[in-house]
C-alpha cells in the first residue's frame, strides 16, 4: 500500500460556566508538569497504545479484509511514484514520534523516557502496518518503506540527542492537481482522498530554523528556510506506463522548491493553549514566496506558494 499516513491529534478542552475560569483550567491542564506526573504518564502511554491498536484493527478490517491473505512476502516498490510515497513514510514516522514524545513531556517525563517510550512510536506503528502488507496477496512488505520509517524516527531522535531541540522539521503541503479526475479510483475522488493518494499534489519539506544555528544573531527565532520536493505527471506508480493527458504524453518530473517558513513553536506566548495549537499545526508548511525548479523547465518564482 503506497499511501499510509496516520496523524494522531489529541485536543483536550474543559467547558465551564465562566469563560475566564475555563481558559485558566485549559491552560493549567495543557501546561507540562515540572516533575513526573505518574497519572499523566500512564494515561499518555495507555492512550497511545489503545489508539495504535485500534487503528491497526480498523485498518485490517476496512482495508486488508477485502483481499486474500498470503504467506509473508516482500515487494520492491522503490521506483514507484518517484519515491514520493517514501517521503510520506518518513514524514509520518517523524511526526508520530514527535507527538508521542511531546505528549510524554507534558507528563513531566525526562528526555530519556520520552525517547525510550515514544520517539519510536511512528516506526513501530508503521512497521506493524508493513507486516499487514506482507501478509496481503494484493500488496507486500517493502524494505524501502521500512528504511523510510526508520529515517523519520532517526531524524527526530538524533536532533534530540545532539541539540536537545528540533532544528530541522519535516513539513507537508498540498495543492490539488488536475490528474485525480483522470484516475479517481487510484488518485482519489474526494479532496480528503486526494490529500493522501495524489502524489502529484503533495510536497514534502525540510524546514530549517535559522536562529537555532546562529543563536547570537538577530535573526527572528521563528524564521525558517524550507527546501521542498514534489513530483508531477504521475497517473500511475509505474514509470514504464505511458499516459496521454490533454492530448500530450505525460512526462514524470521532480520539482524542487526553496521557500521561507515559520517555526510556530518558536513564537513566544504564555498561553499553553496556543502552544498546543502551534505544535499541531507545525506539521504544515505555511504559504510563502517560493522558487520552483523543475527538471527540463525554466525556474519559476511564486509570490505565494503552498
Amino acid at each position: 500500500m503506497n499511501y499510509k499516513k496516520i496523524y494522531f491529534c489529541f485536543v483536550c478542552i474543559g467547558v465551564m460556566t465562566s469563560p475566564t475560569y475555563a481558559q485558566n483550567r485549559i491552560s493549567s491542564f495543557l501546561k507540562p508538569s515540572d516533575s513526573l506526573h505518574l497519572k499523566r504518564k500512564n494515561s499518555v502511554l495507555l492512550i497511545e497504545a489503545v489508539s495504535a491498536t485500534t487503528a491497526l484493527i480498523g485498518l485490517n478490517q476496512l482495508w486488508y479484509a477485502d483481499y486474500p491473505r498470503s504467506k509473508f512476502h516482500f515487494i520492491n516498490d522503490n521506483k514507484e511514484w518517484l519515491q514520493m510515497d517514501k517521503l510520506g513514510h518518513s514524514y509520518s514516522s517523524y511526526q508520530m514520534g514527535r507527538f508521542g514524545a511531546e505528549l510524554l513531556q507534558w507528563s513531566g517525563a525526562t528526555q530519556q523516557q520520552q525517547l525510550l517510550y515514544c520517539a519510536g512510536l511512528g516506526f513501530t506503528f508503521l512497521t506493524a502496518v508493513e507486516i499487514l502488507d506482507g501478509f496481503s496477496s494484493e500488496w507486500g512488505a517493502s524494505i524501502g518503506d521500512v528504511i523510510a520509517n526508520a529515517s523519520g524516527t532517526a531524524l527526530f531522535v538524533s536532533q534530540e540527542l545532539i541539540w536537545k531541540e528540533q532544528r530541522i522539521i519535516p513539513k507537508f503541503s498540498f495543492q490539488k492537481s488536475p490528474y485525480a479526475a483522470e484516475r479517481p479510483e487510484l488518485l482519489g475522488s474526494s479532496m480528503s482522498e486526494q490529500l493522501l493518494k495524489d502524489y502529484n499534489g503533495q510536497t514534502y519539506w525540510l524546514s530549517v530554523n535559522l536562529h537555532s544555528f546562529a543563536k547570537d544573531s538577530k535573526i527572528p527565532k521563528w524564521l525558517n528556510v524550507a527546501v521542498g520536493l514534489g513530483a508531477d505527471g504521475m497517473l500511475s506508480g509505474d514509470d514504464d506506463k505511458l499516459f496521454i493527458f490533454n492530448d500530450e504524453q505525460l512526462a514524470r518530473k521532480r520539482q524542487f522548491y526553496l521557500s521561507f517558513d515559520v517555526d510556530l513553536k518558536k513564537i513566544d506566548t504564555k498561553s499553553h493553549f496556543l502552544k498546543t495549537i502551534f505544535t499541531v499545526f507545525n506539521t504544515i508548511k505555511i504559504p510563502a514566496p517560493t522558487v520552483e525548479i523543475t527538471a527540463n523547465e525554466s525556474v519559476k518564482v511564486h509570490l505565494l506558494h503552498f
Side-chain angles (χ1 to χ4, degrees):
M1 184 162 57
N2 291 321
Y3 51 92
K4 301 180 221 65
K5 303 200 172 51
I6 309 295
Y7 299 89
F8 286 95
C9 178
F10 301 88
V11 180
C12 303
I13 299 178
V15 180
M16 308 298 290
T17 55
S18 169
T20 301
Y21 180 67
Q23 184 176 358
N24 291 336
R25 291 277 294 180
I26 294 171
S27 181
S28 176
F29 177 78
L30 294 175
K31 181 181 179 181
S33 177
D34 295 330
S35 58
L36 181 61
H37 192 300
L38 283 177
K39 188 174 181 179
R40 283 188 177 186
K41 177 185 175 182
N42 293 335
S43 296
V44 168
L45 295 177
L46 179 62
I47 288 172
E48 290 179 348
V50 170
S51 298
T53 302
T54 301
L56 286 173
I57 293 174
L59 184 63
N60 182 63
Q61 293 299 316
L62 295 175
W63 183 263
Y64 296 101
D66 294 335
Y67 303 98
R69 304 293 185 181
S70 69
K71 291 183 178 180
F72 186 83
H73 64 287
F74 287 94
I75 59 171
N76 185 351
D77 62 351
N78 294 332
K79 292 183 178 181
E80 294 186 1
W81 302 111
L82 291 178
Q83 295 79 50
M84 290 297 294
D85 59 321
K86 302 297 180 278
L87 293 179
H89 276 268
S90 182
Y91 167 86
S92 299
S93 180
Y94 173 94
Q95 296 296 352
M96 291 176 65
R98 181 177 72 88
F99 279 131
E102 289 182 356
L103 277 172
L104 204 58
Q105 181 186 31
W106 169 73
S107 74
T110 64
Q111 183 195 50
Q112 183 179 9
Q113 290 173 325
Q114 294 171 39
L115 296 181
L116 178 63
Y117 293 117
C118 292
L121 178 65
F123 176 78
T124 302
F125 178 82
L126 293 175
T127 297
V129 174
E130 212 61 44
I131 292 174
L132 292 178
D133 275 354
F135 283 107
S136 173
S137 61
E138 183 73 12
W139 312 109
S142 166
I143 292 295
D145 288 353
V146 175
I147 293 174
N149 298 339
S151 70
T153 298
L155 179 61
F156 175 79
V157 172
S158 61
Q159 292 188 84
E160 287 297 314
L161 294 177
I162 296 171
W163 298 316
K164 300 188 185 306
E165 64 176 347
Q166 296 297 301
R167 299 183 178 183
I168 304 172
I169 305 172
K171 293 195 176 185
F172 174 80
S173 65
F174 180 83
Q175 294 192 84
K176 189 176 178 67
S177 83
Y179 306 115
E182 294 292 311
R183 301 194 72 188
E185 74 286 354
L186 181 64
L187 302 181
S189 57
S190 65
M191 186 63 178
S192 59
E193 287 186 349
Q194 292 167 25
L195 192 69
L196 299 178
K197 297 181 179 183
D198 189 359
Y199 295 109
N200 299 283
Q202 299 176 2
T203 303
Y204 292 97
W205 304 80
L206 285 179
S207 185
V208 182
N209 184 256
L210 299 177
H211 186 270
S212 295
F213 290 98
K215 293 186 179 291
D216 294 330
S217 70
K218 295 183 179 180
I219 299 173
K221 293 182 179 180
W222 47 264
L223 181 61
N224 282 24
V225 169
V227 179
L229 179 61
D232 191 57
M234 301 181 296
L235 283 174
S236 158
D238 188 352
D239 60 1
D240 292 329
K241 292 183 179 180
L242 301 178
F243 292 92
I244 303 298
F245 183 76
N246 288 342
D247 298 325
E248 294 183 1
Q249 182 175 309
L250 271 180
R252 299 157 65 91
K253 49 197 175 185
R254 301 183 192 276
Q255 298 162 314
F256 301 90
Y257 300 94
L258 180 64
S259 183
F260 293 107
D261 190 31
V262 172
D263 187 342
L264 297 176
K265 293 193 65 179
K266 295 293 175 64
I267 296 177
D268 289 333
T269 176
K270 294 182 179 179
S271 170
H272 292 287
F273 176 75
L274 284 179
K275 287 181 179 180
T276 302
I277 296 298
F278 289 160
T279 292
V280 172
F281 283 95
N282 212 35
T283 59
I284 301 172
K285 165 74 170 61
I286 69 163
T290 302
V291 176
E292 175 187 344
I293 303 174
T294 304
N296 300 321
E297 293 186 10
S298 59
V299 176
K300 299 178 182 178
V301 178
H302 306 275
L303 292 179
L304 201 62
H305 184 76
F306 187 58

